[in-house]
Amino acid sequence: MTTKSPLKIMPISNDPGTETGPSYRIRSFVRRQSRTTRAQRRALAELWARFGVDSIETLNVEVLFGRYAPLVLEIGFGDGESLADMAAANPEVDYLGIEVHHPGIGHLLLRATELGLNNLRIICADAVEILERHLPDECLDRAQIFFPDPWPKTRHHKRRLIQPSFISLLVRKLKPFGQLHVATDCEHYAHSILDILSATPTLKNMSADNGFIPGSSCRPSTKFERRGERLGHKVWDILFARRDNQ
Ligand SMILES: C[S@@+](CC[C@H](N)C(=O)[O-])C[C@H]1O[C@@H](n2cnc3c(N)ncnc32)[C@H](O)[C@@H]1O
């Protein structure tokens, strides 16, 4: 069976290295060629209309969810299990997930349907472009990025999602006192993220000692995290909040 792609917002090149011209940007992801299962393909074709967000200019959050409620954005949710668990556990909160990986989106569509979630919407696109062009300022109560691609080699650090310019963009989307929660199992990235966030004057570290927070108690574990734990990786959680005035 052939299925229609859910991607309506923007075409993403499979090989950013060949891109040229004024719109060129170094992306934080490379589209993986992993297999989409038959169930995921069906989910993308049949369930996208229920949870997916297409063709937005400026996102109207109240129209999108049909109510006014606290809003959490998750960037790069992977297979979406932990996002679905959070949405199921907090029906009074709305969750918006952005991911580029089609099998992961298919997986989340299936899980969201199983759980009967009404408080979840999904965008299939580069989160940077969504923040730049489609998400209004001061709309988020929390942004969460769990295990962003670590790009561990020095020559790939420029691909890391969390850079000072990305953080200034993301902070503009937070409401005053809105929170930013990041977790990673890459020690170098953890310290780099802590440095970038600590150097952002509009953000305040919520940990008692201006360092990391104990993470496992305040969020479900993720697939990437569990894989790292099997390899003996440590995890660093980082929680900041936007100050009152920008
Ligand atoms: C290492 S995986 C972690 C997935 C999940 N958070 C977990 O912990 O299991 C990082 C995910 O971020 C997604 N990603 C990376 N850059 C992105 C971007 N600019 N916009 C949307 N998704 C992105 C990737 O497709 C990938 O699924």
Side-chain angles (χ1 to χ4, degrees):
M1 187 182 80
T2 54
T3 54
K4 238 170 76 187
S5 165
L7 247 182
K8 300 254 178 64
I9 291 176
M10 47 162 279
I12 302 171
S13 162
N14 276 331
D15 178 10
T18 63
E19 290 182 14
T20 54
S23 65
Y24 174 76
R25 81 156 84 239
I26 296 167
R27 297 198 193 281
S28 57
F29 58 89
V30 174
R31 296 291 289 284
R32 289 171 273 160
Q33 295 302 316
S34 26
R35 206 172 79 84
T36 311
T37 65
R38 182 187 289 198
Q40 288 164 354
R41 280 199 302 277
R42 272 190 65 178
L44 289 166
E46 293 171 12
L47 303 175
W48 178 252
R50 181 165 160 201
F51 296 99
V53 182
D54 293 323
S55 311
I56 41 171
E57 280 307 321
T58 298
L59 202 75
N60 183 325
V61 177
E62 277 174 69
V63 170
L64 193 60
F65 289 93
R67 65 175 182 174
Y68 183 76
L71 180 64
V72 174
L73 170 71
E74 179 159 335
I75 295 174
F77 55 73
D79 75 355
E81 285 276 339
S82 73
L83 176 55
D85 286 350
M86 284 182 150
N90 302 291
E92 72 290 355
V93 176
D94 288 332
Y95 288 83
L96 178 63
I98 308 181
E99 177 54 78
V100 291
H101 186 51
H102 287 199
I105 294 173
H107 188 94
L108 177 57
L109 289 169
L110 290 169
R111 188 73 184 124
T113 305
E114 261 169 31
L115 292 169
L117 298 180
N118 293 316
N119 57 340
L120 174 73
R121 299 291 182 274
I122 304 170
I123 296 178
C124 179
D126 183 343
V128 179
E129 303 206 2
I130 296 301
L131 292 184
E132 278 176 349
R133 297 187 194 163
H134 302 289
L135 205 66
D137 287 352
E138 302 203 343
C139 70
L140 300 176
D141 290 82
R142 191 168 71 241
Q144 52 196 40
I145 309 174
F146 298 144
F147 305 90
D149 293 293
W151 295 110
K153 292 181 182 154
T154 308
R155 70 173 190 278
H156 289 151
H157 285 178
K158 57 183 180 291
R159 285 192 175 281
R160 287 178 168 175
L161 179 64
I162 299 181
Q163 312 273 353
S165 57
F166 173 74
I167 291 302
S168 352
L169 174 64
L170 185 54
V171 169
R172 284 209 330 259
K173 308 297 162 183
L174 291 176
K175 293 176 185 168
F177 309 112
Q179 295 191 337
L180 170 57
H181 186 176
V182 186
T184 179
D185 65 354
C186 171
E187 183 166 9
H188 182 276
Y189 202 7
H191 288 282
S192 154
I193 295 166
L194 186 61
D195 289 348
I196 291 168
L197 300 192
S198 302
T200 306
T202 43
L203 286 177
K204 176 178 164 38
N205 193 330
M206 300 305 284
S207 87
D209 61 357
N210 285 327
F212 301 98
I213 57 157
S216 50
S217 55
C218 61
R219 59 173 177 79
S221 70
T222 75
K223 184 177 178 185
F224 190 86
E225 175 175 23
R226 288 189 295 277
R227 193 169 57 192
E229 277 170 353
R230 286 195 293 276
L231 299 169
H233 295 182
K234 209 179 139 187
V235 170
W236 290 266
D237 274 75
I238 301 160
L239 183 67
F240 277 67
R242 208 198 99 173
R243 293 179 197 278
D244 185 4
N245 295 312
Q246 290 267 41

